[in-house]
Amino acid sequence: MRLLASLLALCIALLMPGKGQASSLEIDIHSISKDGIGESIGTVLARDSQNGLVITPSLTSLSEGEHGFHLHAGTSCQAAFNDENVSIAGLAAKGHWDPDNTKTHRGPFSEGHRGDLSRLIVNADGSTTTEVLAPRLNTADLRGRALIVHAGGDTYSDVPPLGGGGARIACGIAS
């Protein structure tokens, strides 16, 4: 019985990521609209590192340029109705993830909410594969939450509201 318990403990230890092991997640990202969730536009690979969370997008079908990229508090990519009864793409994803209740938008390398991620830079062909770093996050922070790609860039400030990223155009839930 003792041998069985020791073997079970060893198996669990080998399967669980520890301090010396990096954890990773692959998240399927879909286009979103006021009508709901659309087709897959690719994946995002997120992995823990000594410097924080390394996020590697492999996305297509986006417009060229900068796109705001955030971890949201919600668990759904569905459209939802706002206070004016208008359907908004990805509104069920709720607001940016702010577990420290900072209520401020300062970027991934500052002391604002932790949902800020580095902007995605999309090539002329609509693809992006450039890694971004989120130094204050790890894969456990992503689980069950929505990753959102916005139509526009991000100023990492509260003016315009939420950094000016604009409409939510793509989303994926980390599981």
Side-chain angles (χ1 to χ4, degrees):
M1 189 61 141
R2 232 168 135 181
L3 178 61
L4 182 59
S6 295
L7 284 172
L8 181 60
L10 177 62
C11 288
I12 290 170
L14 290 173
L15 291 174
M16 298 292 289
K19 292 185 192 259
Q21 298 173 318
S23 181
S24 65
L25 293 170
E26 186 172 70
I27 303 152
D28 194 24
I29 305 293
H30 291 260
S31 63
I32 56 175
S33 73
K34 65 181 180 76
D35 299 319
I37 300 170
E39 295 182 8
S40 175
I41 63 166
T43 60
V44 168
L45 178 65
R47 66 178 170 76
D48 292 326
S49 78
Q50 288 180 275
N51 298 316
L53 188 67
V54 177
I55 301 170
T56 308
S58 181
L59 303 174
T60 61
S61 304
L62 295 168
S63 62
E64 180 180 10
E66 294 183 356
H67 291 270
F69 189 39
H70 301 103
L71 178 61
H72 283 243
T75 61
S76 174
C77 292
Q78 291 292 337
F81 290 94
N82 66 9
D83 294 339
E84 293 148 11
N85 206 31
V86 175
S87 180
I88 305 292
L91 191 60
K94 300 182 181 175
H96 298 169
W97 188 55
D98 190 9
D100 306 314
N101 204 29
T102 67
K103 296 183 181 5
T104 180
H105 188 80
R106 298 283 181 254
F109 299 94
S110 193
E111 295 302 314
H113 66 69
R114 288 192 269 158
D116 273 343
L117 303 174
S118 294
R119 297 174 197 98
L120 294 179
I121 307 300
V122 177
N123 302 317
D125 68 358
S127 69
T128 182
T129 58
T130 304
E131 286 185 346
V132 297
L133 179 67
R136 299 183 305 141
L137 296 179
N138 60 52
T139 53
D141 294 328
L142 300 181
R143 292 190 188 280
R145 293 188 178 85
L147 277 177
I148 295 278
V149 178
H150 291 268
D154 192 333
T155 63
Y156 302 130
S157 72
D158 294 322
V159 178
L162 302 175
R168 301 167 186 204
I169 61 169
C171 181
I173 304 294
S175 54

